[in-house]
């Protein structure tokens, strides 16, 4: 038998050659590529914080397979952009093939230190081919400097907060005295929970923007205070740290602003709170001094609650609370609440919502150390709603849930309320007898709100609203936009307009 080794080697060599050989022929691109966009805007990012990933699609509209001789960043390896071309990472790529009538994706990211660039509007180009056939796509990013607040990290892990003398699992730290005034010359970015120490006050100036990372927020400790007073022209904004357009309306990007029991006289005025898990979590009651006074404030896109009060004292006027995964406003475990000219409008559409727009109760249920379910009740000193809109996309958007054994005081006057109990689920709930004039006066059930655009959280009312001229006179003489309402007040936070 002949030696089979030459035959085997020849077969292996043939397989290798065939596996490396293209089963198509190509022609150069000749500058006739087409693109899904001529400029890729990577939106705004913070200094040293990576962007989201953006994509560019490159089309070969011809009937022949083409080869792009070169794809590269104009600034080469000094560029702050990163590319991935057809699955390969780098800044310079050669001989990229695109089949006839096909396309490839290019993915773009960036991280920029604002101190290393001369212009905060950072630009570069992706160059395709070379010479007279060269084509390009612009890359544009605005980079912002910011104050960064974050917990320390050591060999044991990330710093956590000590609350009530006990170590918690909440990542974060207490603010130093030098950090207790937020000024408006540049934004603040917070990682973990920034906590205001006992007996200290955090002052936030008009126009400040505070951005929270995932699982981050603000804690106002016992005997501490928050004073956040914006203006109509310079609102204070609390939102997530993803500035890209696609994140502008995404709920649950950060945790909560938590005002702890024992903190009083907190103030929010002309503020916006957007895209948190719980916009405001407010604990603790004092019947003489409010825990929180909130005015001219908007709270949108909370994945759980817009405002969750637990046996606390809240005074609110010209307040707008939009979509929330549970309730826009939940006044739980008793307490004291007064709202005048507020709009509570929950048109949540990201999941099935079990709770009404406004929920009021006098109890709380939890599991004790023995894993036994415990229900506690507490006095509802009062829950007063005057000139408020309570609306949403459920049939019943206002519920009073009482367990006997405590004080349960409330008054609802001159409000427009969505309450269509078509299946008589609440017939036996005596607290929802809208004919009881000791608790309900001059209200409109299931009227037309005529909001401008609920999908965009635009809750100003139009000329077809049943709320027009139906409010009773109050001390709140201007609406949330500064429009005079002293003569003919409308129900809700806004005076009506023509769209």
């Amino acid at each position: 038998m002949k030696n089979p080794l030459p035959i085997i080697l020849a077969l292996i060599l043939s397989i290798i050659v065939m596996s490396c050989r293209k089963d198509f022929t190509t022609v150069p691109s000749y500058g006739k590529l087409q693109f899904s966009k001529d400029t890729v805007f990577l939106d705004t990012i913070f200094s040293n914080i990576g962007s989201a990933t953006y994509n560019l699609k490159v089309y070969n509209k011809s009937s022949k397979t083409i080869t792009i001789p070169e794809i590269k960043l104009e600034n080469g390896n000094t560029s702050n952009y990163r590319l991935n071309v057809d699955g390969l990472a780098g800044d310079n790529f050669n001989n990229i093939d695109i089949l006839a009538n096909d396309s490839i994706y290019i993915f773009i990211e960036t991280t920029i230190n604002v101190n290393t660039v001369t212009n905060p509007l950072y630009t570069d180009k992706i160059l395709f081919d070379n010479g007279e056939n060269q084509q390009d796509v612009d890359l544009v990013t605005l980079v912002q400097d910011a104050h960064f607040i974050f917990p320390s990290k050591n060999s044991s892990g990330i710093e956590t907060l000590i609350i009530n003398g006990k170590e918690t699992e909440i990542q974060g730290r207490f603010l130093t005295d030098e950090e207790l005034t937020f000024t408006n010359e540049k934004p603040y970015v917070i990682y973990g929970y920034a906590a205001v120490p006992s007996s200290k006050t955090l002052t936030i100036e008009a126009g400040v923007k505070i951005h929270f990372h995932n699982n981050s927020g603000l804690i106002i400790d016992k005997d501490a205070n928050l004073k956040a007073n914006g203006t109509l022209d310079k609102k204070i904004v609390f939102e997530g740290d993803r500035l890209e357009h696609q994140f502008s309306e995404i709920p649950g990007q950060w945790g909560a602003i938590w005002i702890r029991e024992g903190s009083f006289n907190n103030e929010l005025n002309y503020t916006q709170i957007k895209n948190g898990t719980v916009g405001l979590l407010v604990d603790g009651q004092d019947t003489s001094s409010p825990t929180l006074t909130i005015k001219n404030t908007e709270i949108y896109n909370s994945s759980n609650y817009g405002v969750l009060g637990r046996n606390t004292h809240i005074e609110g006027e010209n307040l707008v609370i939009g979509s929330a995964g549970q309730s826009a406003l939940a006044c739980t475990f008793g307490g004291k609440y007064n709202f005048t000219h507020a709009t509570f409008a929950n048109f949540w559409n990201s999941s099935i919502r079990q709770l009404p727009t406004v929920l009021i109760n006098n109890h709380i249920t939890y599991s004790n150390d023995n894993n036994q379910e415990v229900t506690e009740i507490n006095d509802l000193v009062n829950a007063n709603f005057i000139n408020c809109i309570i609306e949403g996309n459920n049939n019943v958007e206002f519920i009073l849930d009482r367990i006997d054994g405590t004080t349960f005081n409330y008054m609802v006057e001159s409000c427009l309320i969505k309450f269509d109990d078509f299946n008589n689920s609440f017939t036996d709930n005596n607290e929802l007898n809208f004919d009881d004039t000791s608790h309900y006066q001059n209200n409109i059930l299931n009227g037309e709100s005529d909001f401008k655009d609920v999908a965009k959280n635009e809750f100003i009312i139009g000329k077809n609203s049943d709320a027009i001229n139906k409010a009773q006179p109050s001390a709140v003489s201007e609406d949330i936009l500064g429009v005079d309402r002293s003569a003919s007040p409308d129900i809700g936070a806004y005076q009506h307009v023509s769209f």
Side-chain angles (χ1 to χ4, degrees), residues 407-467:
T407 299
F408 201 84
N409 292 325
Y410 58 94
M411 175 59 72
V412 182
E413 298 181 67
S414 302
C415 293
L416 192 155
I417 303 170
K418 176 76 170 294
F419 189 90
D420 182 11
D421 187 20
F422 68 95
N423 57 3
N424 298 316
S425 298
F426 298 94
T427 302
D428 296 330
N429 186 331
N430 294 328
E431 312 307 331
L432 293 172
N433 177 9
F434 294 98
D435 295 324
D436 178 3
T437 57
S438 64
H439 294 296
Y440 298 96
Q441 294 184 6
N442 303 317
N443 298 298
I444 302 170
L445 295 184
N446 305 312
E448 173 60 57
S449 298
D450 193 23
F451 292 130
K452 184 176 181 179
D453 192 336
V454 298
K456 296 181 180 179
N457 287 314
E458 294 179 354
F459 298 116
I460 194 168
I461 58 175
K463 62 182 181 180
N464 295 319
S465 176
D466 290 329

Side-chain angles (χ1 to χ4, degrees), residues 109-127:
E109 296 177 342
T110 187
T111 304
I112 304 171
N113 183 340
V114 71
N115 296 316
T116 64
V117 295
T118 56
N119 189 333
L121 190 65
Y122 184 76
T123 63
D124 200 347
K125 294 178 184 291
I126 304 177
L127 303 180

Side-chain angles (χ1 to χ4, degrees), residues 118-144:
T118 56
N119 189 333
L121 190 65
Y122 184 76
T123 63
D124 200 347
K125 294 178 184 291
I126 304 177
L127 303 180
F128 298 84
D129 212 331
N130 45 53
E132 62 183 21
N133 293 326
Q134 190 172 84
Q135 297 173 265
D136 63 74
V137 171
D138 292 325
L139 305 176
V140 179
T141 307
L142 179 64
V143 56
Q144 286 190 33

